[in-house]
Amino acid sequence: MQIQWYPGHMHKAGKEIKEILPKTDIVIEVLDARIPFSSANPFLAQLRGDKPCLKILNKSDLADPELTAAWQSYLEREHGVRTLALTSREPDKMRKIAELCRKMLPEQVQNDRIVHALIMGIPNVGKSTLINILAGRTVAKTGNEPAVTKTQQRIAIGNNVVLLDTPGMLWPNIENKNSGYRLAATGAIKDTALHHEAIAAFVAGYLGQHYPACLHERFQLQEIPESADEVLEAIGRKRGCLRSGGRVELDKAAKILLNELRSGSLGRISLETPTMMEKELAEVAVIREQKAEKNRLRKQKRGSSEG
Ligand SMILES: Nc1nc2c(ncn2[C@@H]2O[C@H](COP(=O)(O)OP(=O)(O)OP(=O)(O)O)[C@@H](O)[C@H]2O)c(=O)[nH]1
């Protein structure tokens, strides 16, 4: 599965970020705490160079608290960034960002000098909601649909810190197919970009493996089937999504499961762990290597037949 989802303004954002970085003191990346790896921009580490970076694990009210803590220590240890787990339900904690930004700068940066923090994040991670809370007024449009923010803005957030806001930025295609499912499951990719039955089956299988208690309690599944499709079917059956003849209406079951996941009705669920990501990244690297080798051989063959 390759997701091609790259609206024009996101391409523009990549260029804008390169232009704006030299004028920036700090980079703030807003992530979805349920998928801190999949919601991160893979180009950011490369783009930001040695600029200090704060990663905000937002929507932490929806994420598994133990895994959020695990992600924070992993990111701080392995990626050398500062992290903060936040939710729009704790606006006071959000307002500490300006103070933290100042603390992250070298001591010689004077207190009265304006600090510029570039804030970025892929669509739907809650960046606009966060900015509005920090600004104390509505400066950014919010909504539960990806790609609402379109133009760049400067927002003063106290402590002489100014946020530079950019449009959401996703990548042209996602090599790791599970990241695609996770982004779709949390709502960062529009439902139309991927078939929602496939997304729901991915979630159902994941819950069966990692949150069986949720399936027992929320859907009264006594036995959890082995395959993801069967878990989704069992959920549909329990929720009465049946066609005449008793066949399960998978489309309806998928909508129920995804709505309940996104609204937090299933409880606090994270869809990836640092260990899982390390493993998937290694798999992607192998696939990339195999593709490169195939291309090399194809070119070699073409070269020898032409010669
Ligand atoms: N549960 C929960 N929902 C949140 C939180 N922050 C934002 N949301 C919801 O998530 C949805 C997306 O929020 P936005 O602030 O519009 O997201 P965005 O990242 O600015 O999106 P773009 O404009 O597409 O870049 C909205 O429905 C918000 O109400 C949070 O901390 N917890």
Side-chain angles (χ1 to χ4, degrees), residues 19-299:
E19 278 165 26
I20 209 172
L21 262 175
K23 297 172 223 154
T24 304
D25 299 293
I26 289 180
V27 175
I28 302 178
E29 185 176 31
V30 188
L31 304 171
D32 186 320
R34 296 166 293 176
I35 48 168
F37 176 83
S38 298
S39 61
N41 186 301
F43 306 129
L44 183 58
Q46 218 176 310
L47 281 171
R48 79 176 164 88
D50 55 5
K51 295 269 176 210
C53 179
L54 170 65
K55 298 225 180 207
I56 292 176
L57 278 71
N58 204 29
K59 301 197 181 186
S60 60
D61 54 308
L62 298 174
D64 183 327
E66 260 181 49
L67 287 181
T68 300
W71 270 110
Q72 285 189 266
S73 26
Y74 171 80
L75 290 170
E76 294 192 1
R77 196 180 57 238
E78 302 293 326
H79 292 247
V81 298
R82 291 285 286 265
T83 65
L84 195 60
L86 288 180
T87 150
S88 56
R89 294 182 185 171
E90 293 175 309
D92 288 342
K93 197 171 166 196
M94 283 188 160
R95 288 191 199 99
K96 293 203 172 124
I97 290 178
E99 206 183 312
L100 183 59
C101 282
R102 273 220 166 266
K103 281 194 193 144
M104 284 170 63
L105 290 176
E107 266 176 31
Q108 61 266 34
V109 176
Q110 286 147 8
N111 266 342
D112 56 354
R113 121 115 144 82
I114 289 183
V115 167
H116 291 99
L118 172 63
I119 185 161
M120 55 190 292
I122 65 157
N124 212 37
V125 287
K127 190 175 60 134
S128 302
T129 308
L130 170 66
I131 290 174
N132 289 339
I133 291 173
L134 294 178
R137 66 203 155 94
T138 305
V139 289
K141 248 178 153 186
T142 62
N144 210 0
E145 272 281 294
V148 171
T149 315
K150 298 243 154 87
T151 50
Q152 198 174 84
Q153 305 191 70
R154 295 166 57 92
I155 306 119
I157 60 164
N159 278 45
N160 263 348
V161 176
V162 170
L163 287 184
L164 307 172
D165 181 23
T166 58
M169 200 166 106
L170 204 69
W171 42 99
N173 59 59
I174 296 157
E175 279 183 297
N176 173 10
K177 73 174 177 2
N178 288 348
S179 283
Y181 283 124
R182 294 178 186 121
L183 286 161
T186 53
I189 293 176
K190 285 188 192 210
D191 274 355
T192 46
L194 271 178
H195 200 291
H196 70 267
E197 269 175 46
I199 306 162
F202 174 84
V203 171
Y206 177 85
L207 293 177
Q209 281 183 18
H210 301 274
Y211 294 94
C214 154
L215 293 179
H216 293 309
E217 285 157 27
R218 187 79 195 169
F219 300 105
Q220 284 82 47
L221 299 192
Q222 311 296 343
E223 301 254 320
I224 295 170
E226 290 245 324
S227 85
D229 289 340
E230 283 171 334
V231 179
L232 183 61
E233 207 177 313
I235 289 173
R237 206 171 288 285
K238 285 285 179 187
R239 287 297 172 87
C241 310
L242 297 172
R243 292 183 203 281
S244 56
R247 268 201 311 133
V248 175
E249 224 175 317
L250 286 176
D251 176 58
K252 221 171 167 181
K255 280 189 184 138
I256 291 176
L257 182 62
L258 292 177
N259 282 339
E260 295 194 10
L261 174 80
R262 289 173 186 162
S263 67
S265 312
L266 297 184
R268 298 177 70 174
I269 287 169
S270 295
L271 295 172
E272 63 194 18
T273 67
T275 322
M276 222 178 259
M277 292 322 305
E278 295 259 339
K279 189 169 161 262
E280 290 179 16
L281 272 179
E283 285 163 6
V284 166
V286 170
I287 295 171
R288 201 184 294 145
E289 191 50 43
Q290 285 168 344
K291 270 190 195 160
E293 180 61 18
K294 246 189 199 166
N295 279 341
R296 234 183 345 255
L297 288 173
R298 202 177 301 141
K299 271 191 196 153

